Amino acid sequence: MADFDAVVVGAGFAGLYMLHKLRGLGLTCRVLEAGSGVGGTWFWNRYPGARCDVESFSYSYSFSEEIQQDWNCSHRYAMQPEILAYANFVADRLDLRRDIGFGTRVSAAHYDEQQQYWFVDTSGQGSFRARFLIMATGCLSVPKVPDLPGLANFRGEVLHTADWPREGYDFAGKRVGVVGTGSSGVQAIPIIARQAGHLTVFQRTPNFSIPAWNGPLPESQRQQMKNDYRALRTKARNSYAGDYADEYYLSILEMTPEAREEAFEKRWREGGFNYQYAFRDLMDNAAANELAADFVRRKIRAIVRDAATAERLCPRDHPIGAKRLCVDSEYYETYNRPNVTLVDIKSDPITGFSADGLKTRSTRYPLDTLVLATGFDAMTGALTAIDIRGRRRESLKDRWRDGAGAYLGLAVAGFPNMFVITGPGSPSVLANVILAIEQHVEWLGDFLRHAKAHGITEIEADAAAEDSWMAGVRDSADRTLYPQANSWYMGANVPGKPRVFMPYVDGFQVYEAACKEVAAAGYRGFHLARATDVAA
Ligand code: FAD
Ligand code: NAP
């Protein structure tokens, strides 16, 4: 059995930075990664059109001045191959690969209370013993394959956006169906439509999408951003969303109707998430939210020529922003193409599949290829897929049966020395995730340095501290419109999953201040023990 100070699971942006941090602390570490390369999300999600929805200059590591100066992003929103190349660039630059075991899926991790060690098992790639277990398994890393009736009968190709063939896929001339119109579907649909013979989109629920207005970054702008990096990163670090755009400076309800229309139009023209974050009342006032939602619906009607199709694309079942906004390139325009059909499977549900197509209650659709853009078992799926057992062999899956939680979104009572990067109860997916990762890795790095300096061998979240933290997370969410959507933030996209709002909604900057305060108070809410304390 191989022995390390720490085992890190996952080699996405979280695992890569964690490894670098642990090395800097002089700790031995092994990263275990199921995939055959680094990059996590960007390794797996290779579907056409995949790219970031936080701008490239923000969606990148800030911890190394050298890396941020040497990397060049080509577009406002980089495409998947470029982001994957960036992850590889970082791995090479920091010489990370030699401590990563690729093709290694962690199947179990059990804590031995006497020894204060985690024993980690993999599917055929060996076992490991480590003092610390750091789960960098990602919030969106377990693809959700829906239980579509009779799918096994279909003899055509079935592809999931989050497990896309590495060699790509040629849609030329094919009859293609897409199920799913979240961010993945919204990005993939315009590109597939340009290649396919015919594309049928099977939509259950429409989402709000804001244009990306993506394009190449001129060299002068790139240089300017690099020169301004220090100020931009500071601004992001002190913001709600972990980004450097101006936010929360307008109130929808306080504006005159004319000023409001102008403000919506301006944010629509600028594109991206600022349509949400510019307005301080958008997520906590239903009337304000409805005005912002209505503006987008009017845009959809203006873009999509067929009135019935436009109406089908207009979201009405949730407040805008309560599901993650999509950021698109010609998504609505795609429905003006003669080779694209939109089917509403809420009113005309899928009833089955034949060898060569899909059937709804009213119609048969011949298909060569079915693309599932059906999302993820988000926030918890990668963790509950592993047999994780803490004190008294309690399983994490059982612990989270009624809803996931972690103290600071980082540590779970009863699971000592285990830490979850961007876990439930932290800003994670409501922030620029790379910055959320950096903050967790850095805070945890400081904690482990403190532990090393003081001979602490066991760190455990206090159960009451965890409960109170998660009660705060829920109370804050309940003061917003977020819980009003059947979103993956709520676990609502996975049948049987408890409905608990998982991310921390009070803002990245407020969260980071809370973490700093916990550290300054001697890591309040954690039990710290030395091996001798336990022996005694
Ligand atoms: P991941 O990148 O998901 O990496 C986790 C790794 O853990 C994976 O490689 C996985 O194989 C591995 N793993 C999981 N379980 C095991 C196991 N049992 N054994 C071994 N290995 C395991 N966020 C943003 O902020 N901005 C964006 O623009 C953005 N765009 C996105 C686009 C897509 C298509 C998706 C799906 C997500 C996007 N996100 C975005 C969220 C994105 O997941 C994060 O930004 C970030 O990449 C997460 O990094 P991570 O290292 O935490 O997790
Ligand atoms: P998602 O937002 O969960 O969307 C899944 C889609 O599949 C929804 O339209 C859903 O419909 C549909 N669906 C699921 N099960 C279905 C079923 N049984 N029958 C019919 N339809 C079904 O997943 P995603 O699009 O992969 O995005 C997940 C998250 O990943 C995003 O919110 C974002 O955070 C991140 N992401 C970001 C980008 C980016 O732009 N950078 C791109 C992709 C993903 P319902 O709504 O009715 O459930």
Side-chain angles (χ1 to χ4, degrees):
M1 176 169 315
D3 233 321
F4 294 94
D5 292 322
V7 158
V8 174
V9 188
F13 286 120
L16 293 179
Y17 186 30
M18 195 71 237
L19 169 58
H20 178 64
K21 180 62 70 184
L22 290 166
R23 277 186 186 167
L25 296 175
L27 299 177
T28 58
C29 173
R30 188 76 180 158
V31 178
L32 305 175
E33 166 56 55
S36 60
V38 301
T41 290
W42 306 100
F43 175 87
W44 298 106
N45 291 262
R46 296 170 190 246
Y47 60 85
R51 62 175 167 268
C52 51
D53 57 7
V54 168
E55 293 185 33
S56 311
F57 260 98
S58 211
Y59 190 66
S60 55
Y61 288 125
S62 63
F63 69 84
S64 160
E65 175 64 8
E66 198 182 303
I67 287 174
Q68 70 183 9
Q69 290 300 333
D70 289 354
W71 180 254
N72 288 312
C73 41
S74 66
H75 283 67
R76 180 180 181 191
Y77 297 98
M79 299 294 290
Q80 172 271 334
E82 183 169 309
I83 305 174
L84 183 58
Y86 171 69
N88 278 284
F89 167 80
V90 173
D92 289 339
R93 180 61 71 93
L94 301 176
D95 187 21
L96 298 177
R97 262 176 251 280
R98 63 188 158 85
D99 287 326
I100 306 176
F102 293 109
T104 304
R105 182 167 289 282
V106 171
S107 51
H110 294 183
Y111 188 66
D112 183 314
E113 295 183 56
Q114 298 309 315
Q115 298 186 52
Q116 299 177 324
Y117 276 108
W118 281 95
F119 288 83
V120 178
D121 233 326
T122 66
S123 312
Q125 302 296 316
S127 319
F128 301 80
R129 189 181 88 139
R131 177 75 76 200
F132 300 108
L133 174 66
I134 299 172
M135 305 308 289
T137 42
C139 290
L140 295 157
S141 57
V142 176
K144 186 185 146 250
V145 177
D147 190 12
L148 299 175
L151 180 58
N153 299 330
F154 183 54
R155 290 283 153 261
E157 195 101 37
V158 180
L159 305 170
H160 196 294
T161 47
D163 192 11
W164 202 258
R166 292 189 71 169
E167 63 282 8
Y169 188 79
D170 184 7
F171 288 100
K174 294 204 167 87
R175 297 163 303 178
V176 182
V178 173
V179 177
T181 51
S183 303
S184 301
V186 160
Q187 286 187 336
I189 284 164
I191 314 282
I192 297 174
R194 279 180 226 145
Q195 299 170 6
H198 194 91
L199 170 64
T200 310
V201 177
F202 299 96
Q203 172 189 270
R204 189 163 67 181
T205 317
N207 269 292
F208 291 98
S209 190
I210 306 296
W213 310 115
N214 197 20
L217 285 169
E219 178 52 28
S220 56
Q221 195 179 341
R222 196 165 27 240
Q223 209 40 59
Q224 184 63 50
M225 299 291 263
K226 285 190 181 183
N227 294 344
D228 292 347
Y229 247 142
R230 186 184 292 269
L232 292 171
R233 298 295 198 186
T234 304
K235 190 172 181 193
R237 201 96 194 190
N238 289 303
S239 73
Y240 179 93
D243 204 345
Y244 47 67
D246 292 332
E247 52 181 25
Y248 289 87
Y249 54 100
L250 291 172
S251 158
I252 293 171
L253 292 183
E254 284 169 14
M255 280 184 275
T256 63
E258 296 73 26
R260 188 184 298 135
E261 191 72 5
E262 206 176 298
F264 288 148
E265 182 66 34
K266 181 164 185 293
R267 265 84 226 164
W268 177 273
R269 291 263 146 251
E270 287 167 359
F273 278 121
N274 228 25
Y275 191 83
Q276 174 170 348
Y277 290 125
F279 303 105
R280 63 175 171 271
D281 45 2
L282 186 140
M283 284 315 296
D284 54 19
N285 184 294
N289 188 285
E290 178 53 24
L291 289 164
D294 189 58
F295 180 87
V296 175
R297 287 193 287 261
R298 283 187 277 129
K299 282 290 182 192
I300 296 170
R301 290 186 194 110
I303 296 168
V304 179
R305 285 197 288 271
D306 178 67
T309 304
E311 282 316 307
R312 256 179 264 141
L313 286 165
C314 285
R316 286 188 192 78
D317 76 318
H318 64 277
I320 186 168
K323 285 183 173 182
R324 189 182 177 89
L325 279 182
C326 302
V327 178
D328 72 275
S329 294
E330 303 196 345
Y331 176 63
Y332 294 119
E333 290 81 350
T334 298
Y335 293 94
N336 292 332
R337 296 179 63 97
N339 70 333
V340 176
T341 310
L342 178 68
V343 176
D344 173 10
I345 54 169
K346 216 166 228 166
S347 62
D348 189 13
I350 297 172
T351 52
F353 284 81
S354 57
D356 64 350
L358 177 159
K359 289 179 278 188
T360 65
R361 195 186 290 152
S362 75
T363 312
R364 200 182 149 270
Y365 297 91
L367 296 176
D368 301 306
T369 309
L370 181 70
V371 174
L372 300 174
T374 45
F376 302 86
D377 183 351
M379 316 282 300
T380 57
L383 294 157
T384 55
I386 302 171
D387 178 25
I388 298 177
R389 289 177 189 269
R391 287 198 193 285
R392 294 172 289 283
R393 296 187 57 74
E394 185 187 10
S395 106
L396 185 68
K397 195 172 175 179
D398 287 345
R399 168 64 71 81
W400 282 356
R401 198 168 292 283
D402 298 324
Y407 180 44
L408 304 180
L410 259 169
V412 184
F415 296 79
N417 288 353
M418 182 185 88
F419 302 96
V420 182
I421 307 295
T422 63
S426 74
S428 58
V429 290
L430 291 186
N432 165 5
V433 179
I434 295 192
L435 189 60
I437 286 168
E438 288 190 306
Q439 186 266 335
H440 264 188
V441 168
E442 287 158 14
W443 191 88
L444 188 53
D446 288 345
F447 201 172
L448 296 181
R449 184 184 295 111
H450 171 88
K452 194 177 173 196
H454 294 85
I456 292 161
T457 49
E458 191 175 77
I459 297 170
E460 182 179 0
D462 174 69
E466 182 184 324
D467 288 348
S468 139
W469 178 261
M470 287 313 294
V473 169
R474 276 192 301 276
D475 289 349
S476 291
D478 286 343
R479 285 193 288 273
T480 72
L481 304 174
Y482 278 107
Q484 293 185 18
N486 290 323
S487 66
W488 57 259
Y489 299 143
M490 293 284 289
N493 65 327
V494 177
K497 193 165 171 173
R499 290 202 177 205
V500 175
F501 193 84
M502 292 178 276
Y504 175 95
V505 297
D506 286 336
F508 174 82
Q509 81 287 44
V510 179
Y511 172 80
E512 180 163 38
C515 289
K516 282 185 178 158
E517 208 230 311
V518 164
Y523 294 99
R524 191 184 55 232
F526 286 95
H527 298 290
L528 309 179
R530 295 174 185 78
T532 47
D533 302 341
V534 177

